[in-house]
Amino acid sequence: MDKFLTLRVKNRRSEFELYWNVFRKIKKFIQELFLRLKYGIPQKFIKENLIELLLCIDYRYYVAKIEEIKLRIAFIRRFLARHNFYKIKDQYKIESKKRLNQYLYRTYRDFIHNEFTMENYKVDFHKFIERYPIILSTSFSLRTSIKTGYIFDYLIIDEASQSELISSVLAMSCAKNIVVVGDSKQLEQIDNMEIYSESERLAKKYKMDKKYVYKQNSLLKAVRNVFTNVSVILLKEHYRCHPKIINYLNAKYYDNELVIMTQDTEENPITIVKLVEGNHARKNPIGSGQYNIREIDEIENYINRINSREIGIISPFRVQIEKYQKRFKGEERVEIDTVHKFQGRQKEAIILSTVVNNIQKREINANFIKFINNPRLFNVAVSRAKTFITLVTTHGLYNSKNNNFSDFIKYAEYNFSKSQIIEGKVTSVFDMLYSDYTEELYNFLKHQRKSKEVISEIILYDSLSKILRNYPGLKFAMHVSLNEFITNYSGFSQNELKYLNHNFTHVDFLIYNSITKENLLGIEVDGVKFHEQNFKQSLNDSIKDKAFEVNQIKLLRLKTNESNEKIRIKNEIENVIQ
């Protein structure tokens, strides 16, 4: 009886395997027939050139996407032309200027010309303010520059992120309404540290809210904290920088919210000048900071080759700035200073001078650590450039990781030619293709019959979407084939290479820097039964682990029977971006 049952079970299993194999062949035939009928791809080509086929599909995607965007642009241009947009825009400008001139004429045609001087303008201040209704002043001097008790209708404070509270409050006492203009992503105010202790004493004595305390509190920050429902208008339109320069800052600091109004050109606006390897920087013997004569020589040669009418050189160290000023004395088109002095200004070409040999804290002072790690400083420095920006860097800084300069270098490497940039070794998943693919795959999985593994991936997708909101510039792709980003195959056997290059060998999630195109962290969702209790899969997992290690990409494995996944993911992200 037992033998009969065993034989029957074997026959059933053989029958099932037979049907299963037939089903797989039919499915494969239908897929190949579909590709042949719809896309004209021969069956022989599919079998022998599957990798090339997939790459070809990727390429065709980009061709189609570019064509779609071009058609959209053409449609918008036709719409504008059909409705005479540009003609109406020019007429609007002419009419607006005409109306302004008419108003000014009506207002001032009967004015009796009075000569105002420093001695008499306050005596009849009302006549003075009628003649000059707009006053330009610093926040420090506004109150003492007007007649006592006079109140303006509006006070507009520009660069409010740099406006410290004491002088700002003095200016605010002279107006009925205030308009605060500033950029929280740019430089903060420079406090007077001598009054910190007194400020803290008064804050404790009168139990002041932190929103009103002087220390490290600009007018912009205070207003946004005090008036939570205040009307905020984002000045989206950007008119200064070359599109390829501001694109970097737009992605890194402004979440791509800026509308770039400048025109693109065929010229490459970013250049990286890398000094010959060596320890060229020296400490200032009579003060703080460092200087680098080799860098000054390099910049002098570079300036002699470029044709810019106005050039700004920005450096973090005062001693280096003084040496630049001596070298370029009499050179009218060159201006040298710190980032703070350049805030609110612009130059046709900007040169960023980094000075230091490397970024080891024991070798450099706090000024450069702030310069290299402070996003506001770097944002201001880069955005001073209208047409060209050049980063002059030492070998050590060029090869550094996870700071503002290294991200900028990788952005340049990814986007520009070798003539402008020293070619790097950065590989990437493609932003547009894989962001679209990931979203489509997620939507597909949500509507399928859900296994535990699929449910885990859906949960992790939602968690990653929330976690990465706190890491601007970081994105993730789902089910990325290893052969898309693994480049170092040294030390692998033929069988291991076959597995790594198989089109279905993928990582569940890949977190990458969308600006520098650097792959940072892979995440695998491991079902315990499938991964731990399956010898073949365990072997494949070890090959995948080795591939990530060899290519210096961190791989995090999350088992479905563990916990604290969000904390572990955040910790790994913090580790890889440091």
Side-chain angles (χ1 to χ4, degrees), residues 448-461:
Q448 296 302 302
R449 187 177 179 181
K450 299 178 180 63
S451 64
K452 289 183 179 179
E453 185 176 2
V454 170
I455 293 172
S456 300
E457 289 184 350
I458 292 173
I459 293 171
L460 187 55
Y461 179 101

Side-chain angles (χ1 to χ4, degrees), residues 214-255:
Y214 174 79
K215 185 177 180 180
Q216 297 178 343
N217 200 12
S218 69
L219 174 64
L220 181 63
K221 187 189 293 184
V223 167
R224 295 185 70 175
N225 287 333
V226 173
F227 303 104
T228 54
N229 296 323
V230 69
S231 176
V232 177
I233 300 173
L234 177 63
L235 303 179
K236 289 185 175 183
E237 296 181 351
H238 180 90
Y239 292 90
R240 181 192 297 130
C241 301
H242 187 288
K244 290 186 177 73
I245 295 174
I246 195 61
N247 263 337
Y248 172 78
L249 302 176
N250 196 17
K252 188 167 179 66
Y253 302 121
Y254 295 98
D255 199 24

Side-chain angles (χ1 to χ4, degrees), residues 73-265:
I73 292 171
F75 170 80
I76 292 171
R77 284 176 174 166
R78 288 196 301 271
F79 177 84
L80 294 175
R82 190 166 60 249
H83 291 82
N84 298 317
F85 172 78
Y86 295 106
K87 185 178 179 181
I88 294 170
K89 181 182 176 183
D90 291 338
Q91 289 177 347
Y92 181 81
K93 287 182 180 178
I94 294 169
E95 288 297 323
S96 295
K97 189 173 182 179
K98 188 188 296 185
R99 289 177 180 273
L100 174 62
N101 290 336
Q102 288 173 349
Y103 172 79
L104 293 174
Y105 174 74
R106 289 195 304 269
T107 303
Y108 292 106
R109 64 184 173 182
D110 298 327
F111 259 61
I112 300 173
H113 179 72
N114 293 316
E115 186 174 336
F116 296 103
T117 66
M118 285 289 293
E119 289 72 29
N120 71 11
Y121 82 97
K122 285 187 181 180
V123 176
D124 200 348
F125 190 73
H126 285 281
K127 284 188 177 180
F128 174 78
I129 205 70
E130 282 182 357
R131 183 71 180 85
Y132 304 104
I134 300 175
I135 304 295
L136 303 180
S137 173
T138 64
S139 55
F140 282 101
S141 60
L142 181 62
R143 192 179 177 93
T144 57
S145 298
I146 62 177
K147 184 178 181 180
T148 302
Y150 184 81
I151 302 295
F152 290 97
D153 292 322
Y154 283 91
L155 170 68
I156 301 173
I157 297 185
D158 194 16
E159 300 291 354
S161 65
Q162 285 192 295
S163 301
E164 50 85 38
L165 284 184
I166 292 179
S167 64
S168 299
V169 169
L170 288 173
M172 288 165 63
S173 67
C174 307
K176 299 175 185 177
N177 303 284
I178 180 173
V179 178
V180 178
V181 182
D183 186 345
S184 60
K185 302 292 195 308
Q186 294 198 1
L187 294 177
E188 294 182 312
Q189 78 287 355
I190 300 176
D191 288 340
N192 182 351
M193 291 185 288
E194 294 179 0
I195 65 175
Y196 273 180
S197 58
E198 181 65 11
S199 171
E200 290 178 359
R201 186 186 70 81
L202 292 172
K204 288 182 180 178
K205 180 178 179 180
Y206 295 103
K207 299 180 180 178
M208 292 174 60
D209 193 291
K210 287 184 178 180
K211 301 172 185 175
Y212 305 97
V213 174
Y214 174 79
K215 185 177 180 180
Q216 297 178 343
N217 200 12
S218 69
L219 174 64
L220 181 63
K221 187 189 293 184
V223 167
R224 295 185 70 175
N225 287 333
V226 173
F227 303 104
T228 54
N229 296 323
V230 69
S231 176
V232 177
I233 300 173
L234 177 63
L235 303 179
K236 289 185 175 183
E237 296 181 351
H238 180 90
Y239 292 90
R240 181 192 297 130
C241 301
H242 187 288
K244 290 186 177 73
I245 295 174
I246 195 61
N247 263 337
Y248 172 78
L249 302 176
N250 196 17
K252 188 167 179 66
Y253 302 121
Y254 295 98
D255 199 24
N256 288 315
E257 291 186 341
L258 296 181
V259 178
I260 301 170
M261 306 300 291
T262 50
Q263 293 297 313
D264 202 351
T265 64

